Structure formats: structure tokens, C-alpha cells
Amino acid sequence: RVQELLKVSHLLQYDALTQLPNSTLLGDRLTQAIALGRRHDTQLAVIFIGLDRFKRINNALGYPAGDEVLQQVSQSLVATVRDSDSVFRYGTDEFVILLNDIQHPQQTQHIAQKLLTAVRATRQVAGHDLSVTASLGISIYPNDSSTAVELIKHAETAMHTSKERGPGDFSFYTETMNLRAQHQQGLESAIRQALERDEFVLHYQPKLDLHSGKIVGAEALIRWHQPDHGWIYPSAFIPVAEDSGLIVPLSQWVIRQACTQARAWQAAGLPPICLSVNISAIDFRQRDFVANLVAILEHTGLAPQLLELEITESVLMQNVEDTHTTLRKIKALGVRLSIDDFGTGYSSLSYLRRFPIDVLKIDQSFIRGLSSNSQDAQLISAIISLGKSLDLNIIAEGVETVEQLDFLRAHQCEEGQGFLFSKAVAADEFAQFMQAGPRTLMPSQ
Ligand code: C2E
Ligand code: MG
Ligand code: MG
């Protein structure tokens, strides 16, 4: 009986895979350490370690390989710290280290560096070459808090900050991080709720043929109609949605909504136009992205040629092989692909030829700089001739003045989008634009 009880309690307190004590034991030990620290007037450090992109290793090489990474990493971590310090497995790809009795916070900086190096030592798993990195966050007793729960939470917050800044680094917890984390968490649950309560709306900004003035398409832009705060623009919530993964259901909603709207306009007898939606890099990494796209097209019955996905250059530069495959599949469906904000990203021109792109969308910052900055003028005409030589459609975004329009026309830019013609408007207002016929949005001259 006693043996069994001991066995159960061991199972409850130790992680089977790595043999490390788990988060239950961490709570107990940290509470004890704080009590000791208080009595002896000493400081402690909590180091929160999150492996970077661990899910990707699991997805690419399978769970056994993922497990081996975790085992190797945990061994390196244990080997790096003193015997008096302890390493805990906290979550799937998370570890926490408790450093007892440190003299001053800066001392942990050195240890953090050693831990980062230790993680990088895992290079070979199941016959594959890997580069494993981790991001670290550090909190200090008594500076940052005197409770176990808070010290862990603060270290975790600091770990997330490290991850954002660029993985493979460490940060000490600061008060401002906490404010941001609280804000972010609040926003995160608000976004989740808004999805359930159907508070998102798409507005549509017309794209014009710069010569005929005809509306040739529209970009769907998301807005959040919040009962208490009114309209909220995407810059305020898309980054948080991307950080939290909520962008995935959000983008699914956007695509479905845009396709449904396009069909509704067709049913109302309006001329068919191509609708574009913005897609995040994170969406692109979802294995079922293409399958979901197919399902939405089938369900709504929209012709794939009438849907365009706007992606940024950064999407193209992430895992090149996977991206290439995904793009080809999308292209094979007949869905169009556009590079948004073109010219602001990595500007590696070689990929333009390799990837099956249909449209280049010149970033609005270049259009804005047209009058004041001759370099922008050169850049725009270079982009236009590059696009033409690759047989791509060119569209300018952020067209605000007649001067800009004249320049674009003179340089054979075919299409444009911007406040000069119209901002993004609600669906029924957009339908009126289409009914009104050509040139209604084109300033007369
Ligand atoms: P974007 O895709 O480059 O969209 C163009 C942005 O420029 C839109 O801002 C649009 O309202 C604004 N704009 C259009 N014409 C002009 C102009 O003449 N002058 C100026 N100053 N601005 C103009 P918005 O709607 O606030 O969207 C901002 C960004 O948020 C978008 O940039 C896009 O990256 C992202 N976004 C918008 N909707 C979605 C969405 O449904 N999903 C995702 N993932 N991102 C979205
Ligand atoms: Mg866009
Ligand atoms: Mg853009």
C-alpha cells in the first residue's frame, strides 16, 4: 500500500518522459524557497524556458523525435545548473529553473547565456540535423514578487517578450511587460467573444482600372464593431490575433464571409468582380489551409477566379519549400495570388519568378512619397516594369491625389486603390457603386 502510494505520488510529481519534477512540485519547492529566502534575506531567480517552434519539430519529424528533443534538452539543462538548483518540466515545451540564493540579479544573466547554449547543443535527433533554440524569461524574488504563482507568471511573460523580440534570447521581467500582457490577454478574450457574437464586419474598398475608371475588384478589409467602443480597425487587433493564433478562425471567417458576399452580389445581378482577402503568414502555415479554402469555395459556389489572396513578402520567405507547395495548390484551384505591400519586405526578386504570383500591389508608402521623393518615383516605375516583364498585374494602393493618379497612368500602372476613389465601405454601399456604372469613382478632369 505504502509502496503504491509512493508510486502514485511520484507519478503525480514527476514527468514520465524526462524524469524531471513537474509543475506541481515546482509550486511546492518555490513556496519553500521563498520562505527560506525571507528568513535568510536571500534572493531567488525563476527562469522560464520555452522551446522555439517546437510544434514544427513535432509536425515535421513526428512525436518520437519531439520526445527525444525534450529528453536531450532536459538533460542539457540539468547538466548546466548547480546541484542546488532545480529544473522542472512545466508544459509540453516549457521548463522552469529555480536558482536558489543568488547574490544579485545580474548573476543570472550569465546562467541564462549558458542555458541558451545548452539548448543549442541538441543538434541530432532521429538522424536529422536540427537547430533547437529556446527563449528565456527571468523573474527575481523579492524584486518582482514574493509569491510563487506571480514569480512564475512574470517569468513566463518575460519569456514571451523574448520570443517576440526574436527567439533564442532572454529577458528580465519588467512592470511594463505585465501591463502589455494584461492588455493582450483582455484583448485576446475580447476577440474570441467577438467571433462568437458575430461582431466582425467586412468593408470593401474598390479597385479601379485607372484608364476606364471601371471597378475591377475590391479588397475586403475587416472591421470590428464593438458595442461599447464603436469601430475598431485591424491594426488594433490583428497583431494580437496573430500572436494568439486566433487569426486562424478569424481568417476562415473572413474568407467565408467574402465569398458569401460575392455570391450575394452576383445573385442580385451585379457584374462579377474579383474580391481579395488578406491572409497572414500564420494562416499559411496551417496544414489544412488549402483544404479549408476548397471547402469554402464549394460551399459558397464562388468561382475560384473571383477570389484573390493577398499575402506579404514575409510569407514567401518563411519555409520556402512548404510555401511553394501551398502556393502551387492554391494556384491550381484557380484562386489568384497577390503580393501585398510590395517593396517593403525582403525584396528578393528571384522568388517572384519562382512563385506562381498574379498580382503585385505596390506599397502605399511609395505612392505617398511620390511628390516629395524622386527615389520613390523611380522605385515605382521600376516595380511596374519588373511586374510587366514577369507578366504580372500591377496595382497601386493608397492613391490619394490626382497627381499620384497621373503619375501612375503615365507609367502604365493598370489599377489603383485609395481614398481618391473611395475608402472601404459597407457591402450595400459598395453595391451602389457597382450599379452606378463606370467612372463614378474616377475624379473627372
Ligand atoms: P492592407 O492590406 O495593406 O490594406 C490597406 C490599408 O490601407 C487599409 O487599412 C485601407 O483602409 C488603407 N487605405 C486604403 N486606401 C488608402 C489611402 O488612400 N490612404 C491611406 N492612408 N490608407 C488607405 P485597414 O483597413 O486599416 O487595414 C490595415 C491592414 O490590416 C491591412 O493592410 C491588412 O494588412 C490588415 N487587415 C485588414 N483586414 C484584414 C483581414 O481581414 N485579415 C488580415 N489578416 N489582415 C487584415
Ligand atoms: Mg491588403
Ligand atoms: Mg497593403
Side-chain angles (χ1 to χ4, degrees), residues 386-404:
L386 168 83
K388 286 201 185 300
S389 73
L390 294 172
D391 222 11
L392 303 175
N393 256 20
I394 312 290
I395 180 164
E397 67 177 343
V399 184
E400 292 184 352
T401 68
V402 174
E403 289 71 38
Q404 292 165 350

Side-chain angles (χ1 to χ4, degrees), residues 285-410:
R285 269 183 245 145
Q286 305 304 308
R287 286 171 162 263
D288 50 2
F289 181 76
V290 178
N292 287 334
L293 191 62
V294 172
I296 292 172
L297 286 168
E298 279 173 358
H299 183 252
T300 56
L302 185 72
Q305 293 71 22
L306 296 181
L307 180 66
E308 181 174 293
L309 305 184
E310 295 194 5
I311 56 179
T312 56
E313 289 164 275
S314 59
V315 172
L316 301 182
M317 304 313 290
Q318 58 188 15
N319 189 345
V320 174
E321 282 317 306
D322 289 355
T323 304
H324 203 172
T325 313
T326 309
L327 289 175
R328 269 208 313 262
K329 284 186 193 156
I330 293 171
K331 184 74 189 171
L333 292 176
V335 171
R336 287 156 57 90
L337 288 161
S338 165
I339 308 290
D340 203 353
D341 306 336
F342 184 74
T344 58
Y346 294 81
S347 295
S348 153
L349 298 179
S350 61
Y351 67 66
L352 280 183
R353 231 173 316 153
R354 276 197 286 147
F355 291 132
I357 305 298
D358 302 282
V359 184
L360 286 188
K361 203 165 187 188
I362 308 172
D363 187 63
Q364 43 182 292
S365 62
F366 302 123
I367 314 296
R368 197 173 308 130
L370 255 183
S371 53
S372 57
N373 190 335
S374 66
Q375 222 180 331
D376 283 340
Q378 281 173 28
L379 231 155
I380 292 173
S381 66
I383 294 175
I384 295 172
S385 42
L386 168 83
K388 286 201 185 300
S389 73
L390 294 172
D391 222 11
L392 303 175
N393 256 20
I394 312 290
I395 180 164
E397 67 177 343
V399 184
E400 292 184 352
T401 68
V402 174
E403 289 71 38
Q404 292 165 350
L405 173 62
D406 288 342
F407 177 95
L408 292 166
R409 275 181 175 152

Side-chain angles (χ1 to χ4, degrees), residues 202 205 219-223 233-235 238 242 247 251 254 278-280 283 310 340-341 364 368 397-400 417-420 424:
L202 290 184
Q205 187 176 36
E219 176 173 13
L221 294 158
I222 195 168
R223 273 93 184 90
Y233 286 85
S235 58
I238 291 285
E242 288 179 336
I247 191 70
S251 294
V254 170
N278 294 282
I279 300 297
S280 292
D283 296 313
E310 295 194 5
D340 203 353
D341 306 336
Q364 43 182 292
R368 197 173 308 130
E397 67 177 343
V399 184
E400 292 184 352
Q417 175 185 347
F419 295 165
L420 179 65

